[in-house]
Amino acid sequence: MSDEDADEEATPAVQLGDGRAVEGAPIARVAARLTWPQTKSDILEKFGETDIRTPDGPQSLATILASVDDTYFDRRQTFIAAVRDVVGHEPVATE
């Protein structure tokens, strides 16, 4: 491999923006770190203090799940849908 090939691999294929960083973790990342099914109490024990990205700014997962009536999530998609029903489906603002 030549030095030129190594330089091409080191640079990203897609230019990343220079905008403001978005605070909080995506809910999909938190959900991916769990095995399913899960109870609400187990999720809170593992990730309750984690700040989640929302359209209104970061919120702790414990605060979000306090508004969710379900106590058992059979699949990752069920959990994500329940969280999005509370925080909304709008995009997260970066500015």
Side-chain angles (χ1 to χ4, degrees), residues 28-40:
R29 182 184 306 156
V30 173
R33 292 180 178 164
L34 295 165
T35 56
W36 299 97
Q38 288 284 331
T39 62
K40 184 197 278 191

Side-chain angles (χ1 to χ4, degrees), residues 38-80:
Q38 288 284 331
T39 62
K40 184 197 278 191
S41 60
D42 287 341
I43 295 170
L44 288 172
E45 182 179 316
K46 295 172 186 172
F47 293 105
E49 298 302 317
T50 302
D51 285 337
I52 302 299
R53 292 179 186 170
T54 71
D56 298 326
Q59 294 182 27
S60 74
L61 184 56
T63 302
I64 295 167
L65 287 180
S67 300
V68 174
D69 292 332
D70 297 332
T71 58
Y72 178 81
F73 302 98
D74 59 344
R75 302 179 320 154
R76 179 175 50 97
Q77 294 85 350
T78 306
F79 169 70
I80 291 173

